[in-house]
Amino acid sequence: KKKLKISGRELLSVPIEVFGLDQLQVLEMSPERESCLRYRMELLPQEIGCLRNLTCLYVDSNNLKKIPAEIGTLSRLERLTLSNNSLSSLPAEMGALQRLHSLHLANNSLTELPAPLCQLRSLTFLDVSDNKIDTIPSSIRHLEKLETLLLLFNSLESLPEDICLLRNLHTLWLGNNRLQSLPAAFGELVNLDWGYNYCSCNFEGNPLESPPPEVCSRGPERIRDYFSSLHRI
């Protein structure tokens, strides 16, 4: 089998037989599209590292509290979904997943954007919405291919200037944080446009003062003009 979906009314653990399927490419253990099911896995076994050919691993909506270091041996992994679990940290070994381009971490208990994630240079999609993140490391600048970054419903009070180096960003959702200001170079993210394409950039639910919401709503050009005027004063 190249693709396997495991389902059950109450899935508590991964059947040991799965780890013998060394040609498996897609493993799905998520009730996302089956609302009648409730999965309760708390631990992804170390043996997950045996599935060296995995390209996609779906384990949303379980009760995972820890991801084993062996996840870093899945060198072919391209898509990993861990949303709606109970994760408070991620293993440093995740930084070895250099083919990973899509990572879903929404609705966990992360308090920071883990440094290993900033090593994933192939990443194009990152969702860390609805966590408890209060800082973004400057090393985020290494995610040069990132196109979508979702940071809604966290505890961010500021953004590093380095986030403005992510020139491939097309979607940046920052709603419902504690942001009072944006970096001075924010207007250089020319593929973002809150004013004309609402889905592109979102600031709602922040106490923004610099620039004020009415400036942000007019897009990156007006944001650049705003900061330029401050320099002239």
Side-chain angles (χ1 to χ4, degrees), residues 63-84:
N63 193 28
L64 293 176
K65 298 178 178 178
K66 184 178 180 181
I67 301 299
E70 285 74 11
I71 195 81
T73 65
L74 303 180
S75 60
R76 298 188 179 186
L77 203 61
E78 298 176 0
R79 184 177 177 86
L80 176 60
T81 65
L82 295 167
S83 295
N84 304 316

Side-chain angles (χ1 to χ4, degrees), residues 8-159:
R9 190 160 295 278
E10 293 210 3
L11 182 66
L12 297 175
S13 62
V14 185
I16 194 67
E17 294 84 0
V18 170
F19 304 118
L21 303 174
D22 56 5
Q23 297 304 307
L24 196 63
Q25 295 178 356
V26 179
L27 177 57
E28 182 176 344
M29 297 178 289
S30 170
E32 283 289 277
R33 291 172 293 281
E34 301 178 60
S35 58
C36 62
L37 301 180
R38 173 64 179 171
Y39 295 1
R40 301 181 185 277
M41 281 196 301
E42 293 189 1
L43 179 66
L44 199 60
Q46 296 177 345
E47 288 81 2
I48 195 71
C50 298
L51 304 178
R52 299 294 178 87
N53 286 299
L54 271 189
T55 59
C56 299
L57 177 59
Y58 302 93
V59 278
D60 298 90
S61 300
N62 279 275
N63 193 28
L64 293 176
K65 298 178 178 178
K66 184 178 180 181
I67 301 299
E70 285 74 11
I71 195 81
T73 65
L74 303 180
S75 60
R76 298 188 179 186
L77 203 61
E78 298 176 0
R79 184 177 177 86
L80 176 60
T81 65
L82 295 167
S83 295
N84 304 316
N85 280 289
S86 302
L87 299 170
S88 59
S89 63
L90 297 172
E93 288 78 5
M94 281 189 65
L97 302 177
Q98 290 302 311
R99 292 192 185 182
L100 197 67
H101 60 73
S102 182
L103 178 58
H104 299 242
L105 292 166
N107 195 20
N108 277 284
S109 299
L110 299 172
T111 56
E112 61 181 0
L113 191 63
L117 300 191
C118 296
Q119 301 173 31
L120 303 177
R121 308 233 173 165
S122 59
L123 211 60
T124 61
F125 180 98
L126 175 59
D127 183 0
V128 285
S129 301
D130 205 1
N131 278 279
K132 302 173 183 178
I133 296 171
D134 56 13
T135 58
I136 301 293
S138 60
S139 54
I140 195 171
R141 66 182 181 277
H142 298 311
L143 302 182
E144 52 199 31
K145 294 184 180 180
L146 199 62
E147 297 178 359
T148 299
L149 177 57
L150 308 182
L151 289 162
L152 298 89
F153 293 98
N154 276 287
S155 302
L156 294 171
E157 295 185 356
S158 64
L159 295 175

Side-chain angles (χ1 to χ4, degrees), residues 130-131 151-156 173-179 202-207:
D130 205 1
N131 278 279
L151 289 162
L152 298 89
F153 293 98
N154 276 287
S155 302
L156 294 171
W173 288 1
L174 295 164
N176 294 90
N177 279 280
R178 302 172 185 172
L179 297 171
N202 171 279
F203 303 106
E204 284 189 342
N206 286 285

Side-chain angles (χ1 to χ4, degrees), residues 184-215:
F186 195 86
E188 300 302 321
L189 296 174
V190 294
N191 289 316
L192 298 178
D193 195 333
W194 188 28
Y196 299 102
N197 181 5
Y198 185 76
C199 292
S200 178
C201 197
N202 171 279
F203 303 106
E204 284 189 342
N206 286 285
L208 272 177
E209 297 177 1
S210 178
E214 60 269 22
V215 171

